[in-house]
Amino acid sequence: MKRLRLLPLALVPAVILGLAACSGSGSSDSSASATSAPSSTPTPITSCPKPGKASGSVKVTGAVGGSAAPKVAFDKGLTADPPQATRVVKGTGASLAEGDFVQVAYSAYNAKDAKNLVTVGFDQGNPQVLSVGGTGFGAILSCAKVGDRVAVVGQAAALGFNTSGSIVVVADVVEQTPTKSTGTPQDQDPKLPTVKDAADGEPTISIPDSAAPTKTTAEVIKQGDGDTIKDGDTALVQYKGVAYKGGKEFDSSWSKGSPTTFTISNSGLIPGFVKGLVGQKIGSQVMIVVTPEDGYGANPPEGSGIPANATLVFVVDLLAKG
């Protein structure tokens, strides 16, 4: 029986860039570098870097958040310790605070030879959804605004990237991602569990006196107007799961204090969860009643608190794709 598997929120670099083969210590070139490269592996930064000579020397052209990756030029061997970040384009959107989520399109380059390591967003799929604050790249976002384009130079480890040496990153802060559904409320079927949200968006699920549906049933509680979820997509979500009988909560991103990511696929999720979400739109809140056959059946995960052969109820806020 497949289990409901929660994937960790993708951290910019470590998940996207698993570039163990990408080496290079970042040579020290006095004409391009702010300082010499450090001799030991640095720890991820915890505050927003200041601009400097190295980051200010990165030249970038192209539309912010556009459909084509920007053209980036810099002197080979560029490095900075501590890292530097220069706002290339000043955004006019909202300032960001710790705990916010944003969609970021970015390209990263090996500073030693100026070769592209990875591009996310632009013409390479969806932007990455990232959390603001904390360490690594999140610290850079803590002083950004929506619409900003920043050029960052520093040791990969200090910026939170899973590769070595000095790197150059050009990142566009495309859009702030909500932490709750922004869809339009819909009429709810009184024969199904009903959902009422608190001010922060956390749902309360009320179970009706009627018998549970005999087949997995999805109901849109709030209708979003974003991209449609397809089988295999990765989505940032808030969710809560309760047992139909008794309404006891067994899992919740709200209780854990942060949205999480799912890959919407039968390879990692129970069938009922996939049935309920494929075809839904980003921005929606969806309630799914999952039968035992489409859930965990007689063998729920040990320690989950889910009874055997239980009908389950999930409420899922679809926040972003990518």
Side-chain angles (χ1 to χ4, degrees):
M1 176 63 63
K2 293 173 183 175
R3 297 183 175 183
L4 179 62
R5 179 167 59 91
L6 302 185
L7 303 177
L9 179 67
L11 300 177
V12 181
V15 170
I16 294 298
L17 265 189
L19 296 177
C22 232
S23 59
S25 59
S27 62
S28 175
D29 182 342
S30 60
S31 66
S33 303
T35 67
S36 60
S39 58
S40 59
T41 302
T43 57
I45 57 175
T46 58
S47 60
C48 189
K50 296 179 180 179
K53 180 180 177 181
S55 60
S57 71
V58 180
K59 306 301 180 186
V60 189
T61 57
V64 174
S67 59
K71 293 182 179 180
V72 178
F74 57 89
D75 292 337
K76 294 179 181 179
L78 198 62
T79 190
D81 178 32
Q84 299 173 7
T86 293
R87 184 180 282 111
V88 178
V89 176
K90 187 175 182 179
T92 58
S95 296
L96 302 174
E98 182 152 350
D100 287 342
F101 289 82
V102 289
Q103 297 179 43
V104 180
Y106 62 93
S107 292
Y109 301 83
N110 186 327
K112 184 176 181 179
D113 56 17
K115 290 184 178 179
N116 178 260
L117 298 174
V118 66
T119 293
V120 175
F122 303 116
D123 51 353
Q124 301 295 320
N126 296 313
Q128 178 91 36
V129 178
L130 303 174
S131 59
V132 177
T135 63
F137 211 83
I140 296 169
L141 295 173
S142 67
C143 62
K145 287 186 174 183
V146 174
D148 276 358
R149 167 172 284 171
V150 294
V152 187
V153 181
Q155 291 294 303
L159 300 176
F161 280 76
N162 187 24
T163 187
S164 59
S166 182
I167 61 173
V168 174
V169 184
V170 172
D172 291 0
V173 183
V174 179
E175 183 179 342
Q176 188 168 355
T177 298
T179 56
K180 61 181 180 180
S181 169
T182 56
T184 303
Q186 306 292 297
D187 292 335
Q188 299 183 43
D189 185 344
K191 295 180 181 179
L192 295 174
T194 56
V195 180
K196 184 177 181 180
D197 290 347
D200 65 355
E202 180 173 3
T204 296
I205 304 169
S206 299
I207 307 298
D209 293 333
S210 55
T214 56
K215 66 177 183 179
T216 293
T217 303
E219 181 180 42
V220 176
I221 307 299
K222 297 179 185 176
Q223 180 62 64
D225 59 3
D227 291 342
T228 299
I229 294 290
K230 298 176 182 177
D231 194 302
D233 281 344
T234 298
L236 180 74
V237 304
Q238 292 270 32
Y239 71 96
K240 179 178 283 189
V242 304
Y244 193 98
K245 185 177 181 180
K248 183 178 179 180
E249 177 184 314
F250 58 83
D251 198 7
S252 170
S253 66
W254 297 99
S255 297
K256 295 172 183 175
S258 175
T260 191
T261 56
F262 291 113
T263 296
I264 312 300
S265 168
N266 283 323
S267 63
L269 297 174
I270 55 174
F273 208 83
V274 179
K275 288 180 181 180
L277 294 185
V278 169
Q280 306 292 356
K281 291 183 178 294
I282 295 298
S284 296
Q285 182 181 73
V286 183
M287 187 272 298
I288 315 166
V289 180
V290 179
T291 63
E293 294 76 15
D294 284 339
Y296 298 104
N299 300 296
E302 185 176 353
S304 66
I306 300 172
N309 299 310
T311 296
L312 307 176
V313 183
F314 292 95
V315 174
V316 185
D317 286 16
L318 295 168
L319 306 177
K321 241 171 83 167

